[in-house]
Structure formats: structure tokens, C-alpha cells
């Protein structure tokens, strides 16, 4: 364990019966770092969050917060702030009343509550809506207020589960700016998200979980480079249906498609685009009308996800399909 790590996870294992929800997971997060946790549904993300926030006793392994061992059930409200995916606000109370309530719950001193609440409302740009009931606020305002409920305690570790779920682009950018500001002030932020472009844009590093194991941990662009090197993805859109003989020609070049019904064929290669187009024109001489479009793109986190897990994640948010018990065996 590194003494300066804000969060250190050492050989964490969580077992439910014969199922290992987490299997020997080790990672660290530095002060002021934004770490994104990625993985398909059932990868172990929710289990990891419950362990980090002290809501779950692991089967084995340890978690350290700022060098201190985490023991489930103890009061860690001052150092850990957790914002769950689903809104946890009292709809009949105003925004200010909600934040005051959560400040008291997390142990903020009585003489500091008013200032902390005002600061949090200013951070989320809802000062003018502070005394409006939650059920009269828009969905985006409720999402920001939901995050502010965690900020009032000024935790050194901020754990966010799908913080931008269901919001428009403007609110998403506002939440991203808030997260970055907190990180710049030294807060460590752990974010679970299905939005791969969000992870690529926001995080300093990404941790990829699959079947309870940590498969990769690196800066987003470094992870893409380590996985694909100089390779690019070439996509050819063909007329559909394509005769079997032309399908075979594409397969000989190295193209493949995700299903027999798809009109798009793709190839991972480091060859220049001009070289590939010359090959296609040569092999399809006399039948070039079958070639509708040829495009090229650089790999991203979506491709890394598919490489390591065989699965694609997208903006559809679903809870991990893991047991609900808080006590591992």
C-alpha cells in the first residue's frame, strides 16, 4: 500500500456462495484523481462500490482510506461521500431543507451547516431554487441537488454511481465541471458509468472490471494504445443483401460483420486507408457499385470494452445483476 494513496484496495475478494463477485481486485487512487470504474452489467461494479463505502464486509482483502483501514459498519461519513445512482431526495422538502438534513446525517457541526449548504447550492448553481420543493424542480435540477447532498460533508473521497444518468447535455457538462473542481481541490473521485465517452472525457484513469476481476487499469488513451497500438477500424458499408461470392472476397481481405443481416463489414488493421481502398477496388473491379461507403476511425474505450469483455456497454443504465446481500461469505 502506498502511504499517499487516497484509496487503496488490496486483494479484495467478495464471494456469495459459489459466486465470486470480486476476485482478487487491487488498485489505488491518488488524491485529486478521477478514477472511472467500467464494466458490463454483472462485472462487480456495484459490489466494489458497496465495499469502498463500508456497506459490505468483504470475504478477504483490505481497503484503506487515506492510509486507514476501512471497517464496515463504522462511521466514515466525514471522509467518504457516496452518491447512489437513484435519487434519494425528500420530494416534499425544499432543496435547502434536504441539504440541511443530509449535513446533520453526515455529522457536519451545527454551526457549519448553514455555510456548507449555501456553498453546495452555489456549486450546483441552484441558490435561486433553494427554497423550492424538490417535486417542483426539473429532473436535471434534482440530479444536481442529489449530488450536492453528498458534497455538504466535504468528503475527501467522493464515490459516484452514474452521476449523469438521465440528464441532458447541459446538466451533464455542469456536473462534469463540478467534479473537476472538486478534484482540483484535492478530492479523490471514483465514478461508475456506462457512458464510455464520459469516462474518456472526464477520468484520469479507468479501471475495467469483468466477471469480478480487474482486467485493465490505465489512462484512457494509454489503455486504447496498449490494446490496439497503431491499428484503426475500417468500416465498409455494402449494398444488402450481398451475394455470397462478394461476401467471400471481403472475408479474404479480413473483413467481418457482427451478423448476417448487417450491411456493415469491419476490419482492424494498421494499413493505410489508400492501400485498403486500392485493394477493395481491385478485388471488386466491375462490381464497385456494391461498395456504398468506406470509412475509418481510431479505436476508443468502446472497442477496449469489447476486446476485454466481449460485451458492449452503452447509455442504458441497469443495476449490476449481483446478490443484494450486504454480507459476503
Amino acid at each position: 500500500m502506498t502511504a499517499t494513496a487516497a484509496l487503496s484496495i488490496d486483494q479484495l475478494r467478495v464471494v456469495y456462495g459459489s459466486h465470486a463477485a470480486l476476485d482478487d481486485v487491487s488498485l489505488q487512487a491518488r488524491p485529486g484523481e478521477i478514477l472511472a470504474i467500467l464494466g458490463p452489467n454483472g462485472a462487480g461494479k456495484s459490489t466494489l462500490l458497496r465495499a469502498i463505502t463500508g456497506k459490505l464486509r468483504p470475504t478477504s482483502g483490505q481497503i484503506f482510506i487515506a492510509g486507514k483501514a476501512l471497517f464496515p459498519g463504522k462511521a466514515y461519513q466525514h471522509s467518504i461521500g457516496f452518491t447512489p445512482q437513484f435519487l434519494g431526495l425528500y420530494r416534499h422538502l425544499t432543496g435547502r431543507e434536504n441539504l440541511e438534513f443530509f449535513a446533520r446525517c453526515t455529522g457536519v457541526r451545527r454551526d457549519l451547516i448553514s455555510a456548507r449548504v449555501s456553498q453546495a447550492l452555489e456549486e450546483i448553481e441552484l441558490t435561486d431554487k433553494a427554497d423550492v420543493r424538490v417535486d417542483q424542480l426539473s429532473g436535471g435540477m434534482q440530479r444536481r441537488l442529489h449530488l450536492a447532498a453528498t458534497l455538504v460533508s466535504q468528503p475527501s473521497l467522493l464515490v459516484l454511481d452514474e452521476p449523469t444518468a438521465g440528464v441532458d447535455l447541459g446538466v451533464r457538462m455542469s456536473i462534469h465541471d463540478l467534479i473537476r473542481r472538486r478534484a482540483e481541490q484535492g478530492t479523490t473521485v471514483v465514478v461508475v458509468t456506462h457512458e464510455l465517452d464520459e469516462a474518456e472525457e472526464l477520468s484520469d484513469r479507468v479501471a475495467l472490471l469483468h466477471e469480478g476481476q480487474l482486467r485493465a487499469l490505465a489512462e484512457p488513451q494509454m489503455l486504447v494504445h496498449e490494446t490496439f497500438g497503431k491499428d484503426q477500424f475500417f468500416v465498409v458499408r455494402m449494398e444488402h443483401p450481398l451475394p455470397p461470392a462478394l461476401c467471400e472476397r471481403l472475408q479474404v481481405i479480413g473483413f467481418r460483420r457482427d451478423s448476417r443481416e448487417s450491411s456493415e463489414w469491419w476490419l482492424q488493421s494498421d494499413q493505410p486507408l489508400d492501400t485498403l481502398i486500392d485493394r477493395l477496388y481491385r478485388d471488386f473491379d466491375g462490381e464497385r457499385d456494391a461498395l456504398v461507403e468506406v470509412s475509418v476511425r481510431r479505436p476508443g474505450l468502446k472497442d477496449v470494452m469489447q476486446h476485454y469483455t466481449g460485451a458492449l456497454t452503452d447509455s442504458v443504465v441497469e443495476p449490476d445483476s449481483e446478490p443484494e446481500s450486504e454480507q459476503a461469505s
Side-chain angles (χ1 to χ4, degrees), residues 19-143:
H19 171 65
L22 293 175
D23 187 8
D24 197 26
V25 172
S26 296
L27 61 84
Q28 295 182 349
R30 302 179 296 270
E33 180 177 24
I34 302 174
L35 175 67
I37 307 294
L38 306 179
N41 291 331
K45 303 185 300 295
S46 294
T47 299
L48 182 60
L49 290 196
R50 290 199 293 269
I52 291 173
T53 54
K55 302 179 184 298
L56 169 71
R57 186 180 299 278
T59 305
S60 61
Q62 281 190 300
I63 298 175
F64 298 87
I65 307 297
K68 297 181 179 180
L70 178 70
F71 296 100
K74 300 294 183 180
Y76 289 94
Q77 296 100 322
H78 299 290
S79 57
I80 304 175
F82 176 48
T83 302
Q85 173 184 335
F86 301 106
L87 296 178
L89 300 170
Y90 292 95
R91 297 176 59 81
H92 64 285
L93 299 179
T94 67
R96 186 187 307 278
E97 289 168 341
N98 266 276
L99 296 190
E100 289 173 346
F101 171 77
F102 286 110
R104 290 194 295 270
C105 288
T106 53
V108 177
R109 279 173 30 197
R110 181 173 299 183
D111 61 320
L112 296 178
I113 288 178
S114 178
R116 292 282 185 87
V117 168
S118 296
Q119 179 183 348
L121 287 167
E122 185 176 349
E123 276 193 272
I124 62 171
E125 300 177 344
L126 283 182
T127 300
D128 60 334
K129 301 290 184 180
D131 298 310
V132 177
R133 280 174 46 136
V134 167
D135 57 7
Q136 296 175 6
L137 298 175
S138 68
M141 291 178 182
Q142 291 183 30
R143 178 62 64 178

Side-chain angles (χ1 to χ4, degrees), residues 203-248:
S203 64
D204 298 307
R205 289 189 301 160
V206 296
L208 178 58
L209 290 177
H210 183 49
E211 296 179 343
Q213 296 182 338
L214 181 64
R215 298 299 176 88
L217 176 63
E219 298 175 7
Q221 290 306 313
M222 180 62 69
L223 184 55
V224 172
H225 178 73
E226 289 175 351
T227 306
F228 295 104
K230 296 181 179 180
D231 283 0
Q232 302 180 95
F233 284 98
F234 299 93
V235 180
V236 175
R237 187 157 61 89
M238 310 294 295
E239 65 177 15
H240 188 72
L242 196 65
L246 298 187
C247 291
E248 290 180 7

